[in-house]
Amino acid sequence: MDVRQRRELMVAGQTVVEAVDLDDYAALAYAVTGPSDPLPVPAGVWHRFAAAVDALPAAAPTPGYWHGAVHVTGPEYAPVAHVLAATTGRALRRGTLGDALAAARNTPVTVVARADEITPELLAELPVDGQLGLLTGRDLDAVAALVARTVLQGPRSVAELDDLWFDMFAEPGPAPRTLLGPAATPRSLRAALRPGAAMLAGRGHARDCLLHLNGGGICGRAEEQPRLNAPLPVGAGWSDHPAACQQSDRCWRDDVPVAGHLRAAELRAAVVVLDSCRTAQAGEGSVRREVALPLTMLEGVPLALVCAVGTRGGSDWAGQLFPALVRAGLPLGAALAEVNTAVTDDEAGLGRLALFGDAGLASAVPKPPVTYVPGDEIPAGRAAALVRGTELLPVDPDGPLMVTRRGGDSWAVTTAAQRRGGRVEAMPASPTAQWEELRTWVQRLRVAPQMGLRIDRAVLDEVYRDAAAAVRRRAEAGHASAAVAADADFADAARRLAEQQALLVRTEIERFADNVHFFVDGWAEPWSVRIAPEPDECPQCGDHSLLCHTVRPSAGCGEPLRYDVCVRCGEMSAGAAEQPGSVTVRNPAQARRCEPVPIRIIVTAPSDASITVAVGAAFPHPRRLGVVMAGDGAAFTLGPGERRELNFTAHSGDSAALDQQVFKVVVAVNGAVRFLTRWVWLRG
């Protein structure tokens, strides 16, 4: 073609000029020095570009809408990268993809690269906090057309058009600009996108080349790519497999013909967010690139695509948070990093997203964001609002959706999540954080019958179920009142568990007062006993004369038990192998009959945890043996490092036997029960 016959096109006052071949494109590209210079578009995609540029609003390039830098990996795409950098006022850097990944941790980086460079391995290595955009296509012509459309349509399309949300997993309901559940079909989505959308975001099941909709899907097959002319040889690898539509005239979805799907290239939206599994693919992957959703979509109307690397699950607000962050003025790359870090920090989140498109594109010239504090009235709007603090929930059930971000702040999302504005509150520390402690507590009490103790297993099971349900409701609470109710239910379950522990101690004290028995006589058999090779320090006399025995009941299948005997002072303890904190009994070794005998029980909590304690003490057969323990048992809670002393008194009458009198102390700490046996010699 004669260069003088080169076609030109005026788009929003900006001249677009045709490049007849690659050499001509390079010459025209390097002639671009600023946003007012003509934009080159290759002749091979001229008609496709002209059709796509009419689908969305356009405006002359304004460098203030772009952030960060442009990065190019090789000489082939250097002219395209030069056009993007020169028209948007950004620096152009050359280097490897590794260099771009490192730079993207601090600033938005747009990588202009060949599709085959974006391998599954590269996608797997993308940093969670990376502000990286992969601007690519099936060939150089496609990338050049995408750059021209991004420069002309990006800022104005996002600023002027409204957003659209669809969710295949949500229950249908009235909400503006939403397609929920059965309402999300190819026909309804095509109709809703007819006037165009700034950002289309949605959730649904996906399979590499297709995202499901009711009665069809968003199809990744390019319009110009019919089925393969010849079958490919079957290999042993797991890459570049032909999809069903490339091998025949049918889709792998037998219920929908290929023509019944909505083509990815047809979506009249500037930015598309697909929060679905296995949709990020450019180079070799599980299907051939002719049906890859990102490459097909970027050859049509959309300018950028955010989609999942591998499996995505949980954090169902990701597709709503991204558009709200862009509306708040964040570049696409910065919004991507915010979403990925929030998903990573969310205990229910799985997987992350990748951006195909320009990471530096923003919806508006940046301005300082309005920052709120808990208690402020947050207005409804398309933009996310920054709120100081974490663990925030809305006061009203339909109030702002709160997402915690790294750095001690939270994002409030309203319109993008179909929520109203309103106040948010900082929630106090939830007692459900002690779930693991409570679960362990229940397990300790469940094995009490192995030690011959009496416990109501049905009550323990009920407490466990109620506590577990409260933990789940607290995690799923969408507003403050639901969280407070869940916390109250969990606290009630913990209170009932403490009551069962105290009841166990009282019951055992009453049994001992009516009987003379040694605690280990009631342990379940068969059992195995192992004696520690070295004696330990006795908590009573302080000598290293304590023989420690580890007991495994139920042929080694039960919970481990332990009993210790001091060969010097006679101290004996038995019960759970591990008990939080420490318990010490202080009493005189001998006393005169009819004189009161003071007995002190000292309980100390560990330095890093709180404990709930129940304590009791008794002498056996007080009427027959003549020694009575005065002093009530107690149930209490100690904070980390706290210490409490309980005072009991032994009274003996004239008929008390002048002999060694045994008494027992029962201590239960967070479900771990131990018996301490001590003696007092009565003298005349």
Side-chain angles (χ1 to χ4, degrees):
M1 178 186 295
D2 188 345
V3 175
R4 291 173 299 180
Q5 298 177 350
R6 180 185 289 126
R7 289 176 289 190
E8 291 186 358
L9 183 67
M10 293 297 295
V11 179
Q14 179 75 22
T15 301
V16 180
V17 63
E18 178 189 23
V20 296
D21 53 33
L22 294 181
D23 291 336
D24 189 34
Y25 179 84
L28 293 171
Y30 285 119
V32 177
T33 59
S36 60
D37 293 330
L39 289 173
V41 171
V45 293
W46 180 263
H47 294 292
R48 192 168 66 198
F49 168 82
V53 83
D54 287 336
L56 299 173
T62 305
Y65 286 86
W66 276 274
H67 306 255
V70 177
H71 194 103
V72 64
T73 59
E76 180 183 357
Y77 283 72
V80 181
H82 173 82
V83 172
L84 182 61
T87 53
T88 59
R90 287 178 286 179
L92 175 61
R93 297 187 175 93
R94 293 172 173 81
T96 65
L97 281 169
D99 298 332
L101 293 178
R105 293 184 180 274
N106 302 312
T107 186
V109 174
T110 300
V111 178
V112 181
R114 300 191 316 273
D116 56 9
E117 292 185 82
I118 305 172
T119 62
E121 291 78 11
L122 172 69
L123 293 173
E125 293 173 359
L126 293 178
V128 171
D129 58 349
Q131 304 178 42
L132 189 74
L134 303 167
L135 202 151
T136 188
R138 290 195 174 94
D139 51 36
L140 189 145
D141 286 1
V143 176
L146 176 60
V147 165
R149 292 193 299 110
T150 300
V151 169
L152 292 170
Q153 297 177 301
R156 186 173 180 186
S157 295
V158 176
E160 290 190 2
L161 298 177
D162 203 352
D163 303 331
L164 179 66
W165 168 257
F166 71 91
D167 193 338
M168 293 295 300
F169 307 134
E171 294 293 331
R177 299 291 289 170
T178 58
L179 299 172
L180 305 178
T185 66
R187 176 176 295 180
S188 66
L189 190 57
R190 183 183 287 110
L193 290 173
R194 190 167 293 118
M199 284 175 280
L200 168 68
R203 300 172 64 227
H205 291 296
R207 173 184 157 166
D208 302 309
C209 59
L210 185 139
L211 185 140
H212 293 266
L213 299 171
N214 285 306
I218 299 175
C219 174
R221 196 180 85 156
E223 191 70 38
E224 296 82 3
Q225 296 288 339
R227 64 176 180 166
L228 299 173
N229 294 325
L232 296 176
V234 177
W238 286 95
S239 63
D240 282 344
H241 288 284
C245 63
Q246 295 177 287
Q247 303 177 63
S248 68
D249 294 326
R250 300 176 63 184
C251 175
W252 72 272
R253 271 190 65 164
D254 289 338
D255 60 319
V256 180
V258 176
H261 291 304
L262 176 61
R263 303 284 183 177
E266 298 176 17
L267 299 177
R268 295 173 64 91
V271 180
V272 179
V273 183
L274 300 181
D275 189 8
S276 307
C277 301
R278 297 169 55 183
T279 42
Q281 179 181 330
E284 65 174 19
S286 55
V287 297
R288 291 177 63 84
R289 69 177 61 180
E290 290 87 352
V291 294
L293 273 168
L295 299 183
T296 299
M297 192 172 294
L298 298 180
E299 282 186 352
V301 177
L303 308 175
L305 168 65
V306 176
C307 53
V309 177
T311 302
R312 264 287 291 127
S315 305
D316 53 5
W317 36 256
Q320 299 167 326
L321 177 61
F322 186 91
L325 292 174
V326 176
R327 292 297 183 191
L330 272 67
L332 300 186
L336 175 77
E338 287 283 346
V339 172
N340 278 336
T341 53
V343 171
T344 303
D345 295 341
D346 182 14
E347 294 182 357
L350 175 66
R352 62 180 183 273
L353 304 172
L355 169 63
F356 291 87
D358 193 341
L361 174 62
S363 63
V365 177
K367 57 183 178 181
V370 178
T371 303
Y372 299 89
V373 297
D376 289 347
E377 187 76 16
I378 300 174
R382 296 189 300 177
L386 188 63
V387 185
R388 298 298 184 194
T390 59
E391 300 297 329
L392 306 178
L393 285 176
V395 174
D396 300 320
D398 56 350
L401 169 69
M402 302 305 300
V403 179
T404 301
R405 69 185 297 262
R406 290 185 182 178
D409 298 326
S410 300
W411 292 110
V413 184
T414 52
T415 302
Q418 297 83 53
R419 301 285 195 98
R420 296 190 304 107
R423 293 187 300 109
V424 299
E425 291 183 353
M427 301 304 300
S430 171
T432 62
Q434 283 78 48
W435 161 249
E436 284 299 325
E437 178 182 312
L438 185 141
R439 185 186 64 80
T440 303
W441 190 349
V442 171
Q443 181 60 28
R444 287 168 176 164
L445 291 178
R446 276 176 173 167
V447 300
Q450 294 182 2
M451 298 185 286
L453 304 177
R454 298 176 180 177
I455 192 74
D456 192 333
R457 293 287 297 270
V459 174
L460 290 182
D461 292 343
E462 181 182 5
V463 169
Y464 183 89
R465 289 193 300 268
D466 292 347
V471 171
R472 183 177 182 87
R473 291 201 308 275
R474 180 62 166 86
E476 296 175 347
H479 54 93
S481 59
V484 170
D487 288 347
D489 289 345
F490 185 88
D492 181 69
R495 178 189 58 78
R496 287 151 53 202
L497 189 60
E499 290 176 351
Q500 288 298 307
Q501 175 176 266
L503 177 62
L504 180 148
V505 171
R506 290 197 303 271
T507 301
E508 190 59 27
I509 287 297
E510 293 171 358
R511 290 179 63 195
F512 179 73
D514 294 335
N515 295 275
V516 176
H517 73 281
F518 286 100
F519 179 51
V520 294
D521 291 344
W523 288 5
E525 292 188 20
W527 60 341
S528 64
V529 181
R530 291 190 177 183
I531 303 176
E534 298 292 335
D536 204 350
E537 180 180 341
C538 176
Q540 293 295 136
C541 67
D543 281 1
H544 281 76
S545 52
L546 189 71
L547 300 182
C548 304
H549 305 71
T550 301
V551 179
R552 282 284 186 178
S554 303
C557 298
E559 291 295 317
L561 305 175
R562 172 177 168 174
Y563 72 87
D564 303 335
V565 177
C566 178
V567 298
R568 179 179 178 82
C569 69
E571 158 73 5
M572 187 175 82
S573 66
E578 298 292 338
Q579 188 178 56
S582 64
V583 181
T584 305
V585 180
R586 301 297 186 196
N587 64 278
Q590 58 183 345
R592 291 185 180 275
R593 185 168 55 186
C594 297
E595 293 182 355
V597 180
I599 298 172
R600 291 186 300 147
I601 303 172
I602 304 167
V603 183
T604 305
S607 60
D608 59 347
S610 299
I611 57 175
T612 300
V613 186
V615 180
F619 282 87
H621 292 297
R623 293 183 179 179
R624 184 159 55 88
L625 299 180
V627 184
V628 178
M629 182 74 77
D632 296 329
F636 52 90
T637 298
L638 295 178
E642 289 186 354
R643 179 176 179 271
R644 180 162 177 177
E645 180 178 310
L646 290 88
N647 295 308
F648 293 79
T649 304
H651 296 280
S652 56
D654 294 337
S655 61
L658 299 178
D659 199 354
Q660 186 186 57
Q661 298 285 354
V662 63
F663 69 91
K664 285 193 176 183
V665 177
V666 185
V667 183
V669 181
N670 290 4
V673 184
R674 289 186 71 81
F675 281 63
L676 307 176
T677 304
R678 298 294 293 162
W679 292 268
V680 177
W681 284 94
L682 286 186
R683 296 170 51 198

